[in-house]
Amino acid sequence: DGGITQSPKYLFRKEGQNVTLSCEQNLNHDAMYWYRQDPGQGLRLIYYSQIVNDFQKGDIAEGYSVSREKKESFPLTVTSAQKNPTAFYLCASRSGQHNEQFFGPGTRLTVL
Amino acid sequence: EDQVTQSPEALRLQEGESSSLNCSYTVSGLRGLFWYRQDPGKGPEFLFTLYSAGEEKEKERLKATLTKKESFLHITAPKPEDSATYLCAVQFMIKAAGNKLTFGGGTRVLVKP
């Protein structure tokens, strides 16, 4: 089955720690995106990548970092510089021929 | 600043009671408008893409329409399984790089049997 997987589903972090969220897709999509969702708010774009080894900041990139070494993978690191990291994180991908983005199941990050 | 506003924030319906959700956006050149359905604790599921005023798309009990300044998602004779949060997202021309989307806050729909 083609799709987007995110792991882990739930993640707990102590203050001051960096954590990495995984996003993998086997749809052969060129573009990948990371969003953050807070209760009662719309999705906000953190980073996106249109091709391997290239990525751009979204609207709320401070305190986050990404890499795109393989077409299938786009991991997101939440660093200790992110002041309010507790949120639901969503990864999405898009083929080069279409505008629609397709989402993974999400990772819920909680800072203890 | 380009914005997307959805209304109402929440909607409670009886099974079979048709209704409409609204998505309005500031006009700075629309490249595309997208509707998603999101169940609690899950990722959004793609429903429709609309590109030009007058366009309509249908899927089962859902119908999406687009005007120059807003889109409606009509739910006809809803069933309890239609309960979800419905998200609207807009791709603005001036933010077209990377096919970035601007999301509204969503409408939570609860359909009671």
Side-chain angles (χ1 to χ4, degrees):
Chain A
D1 282 336
I4 305 171
T5 58
Q6 292 185 242
S7 61
K9 186 172 182 178
Y10 299 98
L11 185 58
F12 298 90
R13 190 194 92 171
K14 293 182 180 178
E15 286 198 21
Q17 285 183 335
N18 293 353
V19 290
T20 298
L21 282 59
S22 170
C23 177
E24 303 277 334
Q25 54 98 0
N26 61 4
L27 301 167
N28 199 33
H29 284 176
D30 299 302
M32 297 185 75
Y33 304 79
W34 273 106
Y35 292 89
R36 168 183 173 137
Q37 187 174 35
D38 294 282
Q41 295 191 33
L43 278 66
R44 292 182 289 168
L45 182 64
I46 304 172
Y47 268 98
Y48 66 99
S49 168
Q50 297 188 84
I51 57 172
V52 174
N53 293 322
D54 188 47
F55 49 83
Q56 286 76 39
K57 292 181 179 180
D59 299 319
I60 55 166
E62 186 175 351
Y64 300 97
S65 66
V66 293
S67 63
R68 186 89 187 273
E69 297 177 359
K70 298 187 300 181
K71 188 175 184 178
E72 302 79 18
S73 179
F74 191 40
L76 173 74
T77 296
V78 184
T79 75
S80 57
Q82 170 50 235
K83 298 305 179 188
N84 186 21
T86 294
F88 190 47
Y89 290 86
L90 290 159
C91 177
S93 70
R94 178 185 61 81
S95 78
Q97 289 76 37
H98 299 96
N99 288 327
E100 297 84 7
Q101 295 180 19
F102 296 91
F103 286 84
T107 292
R108 186 166 299 281
L109 172 63
T110 302
V111 174
L112 303 173
Chain B
E1 180 182 339
D2 295 308
Q3 287 190 327
V4 180
T5 303
Q6 291 188 245
S7 62
E9 289 187 6
L11 191 59
R12 294 166 67 99
L13 301 172
Q14 286 297 127
E15 185 172 1
E17 177 188 1
S18 301
S19 188
S20 295
L21 285 56
N22 178 263
C23 172
S24 63
Y25 50 91
T26 55
V27 180
S28 68
L30 179 75
R31 193 176 186 193
L33 185 141
F34 306 83
W35 282 100
Y36 289 86
R37 168 194 170 123
Q38 186 176 26
D39 293 307
K42 297 189 176 181
E45 173 190 345
F46 170 74
L47 293 173
F48 305 110
T49 306
L50 301 166
Y51 289 106
S52 55
E55 189 174 358
E56 298 182 351
K57 293 276 181 72
E58 282 189 72
K59 180 180 181 180
E60 296 181 355
R61 294 176 293 281
L62 301 177
K63 180 180 177 180
T65 62
L66 182 64
T67 71
K68 286 188 177 180
K69 292 188 177 183
E70 59 191 348
S71 176
F72 293 93
L73 184 66
H74 308 278
I75 310 178
T76 302
K79 298 182 177 182
E81 53 262 43
D82 294 321
S83 298
T85 295
Y86 291 87
L87 302 174
C88 169
V90 173
Q91 191 174 73
F92 292 104
M93 287 288 191
I94 62 171
K95 291 184 178 179
N99 291 69
K100 289 188 287 185
L101 300 179
T102 301
F103 280 83
T107 295
R108 294 189 313 277
V109 174
L110 176 63
V111 182
K112 291 195 160 189

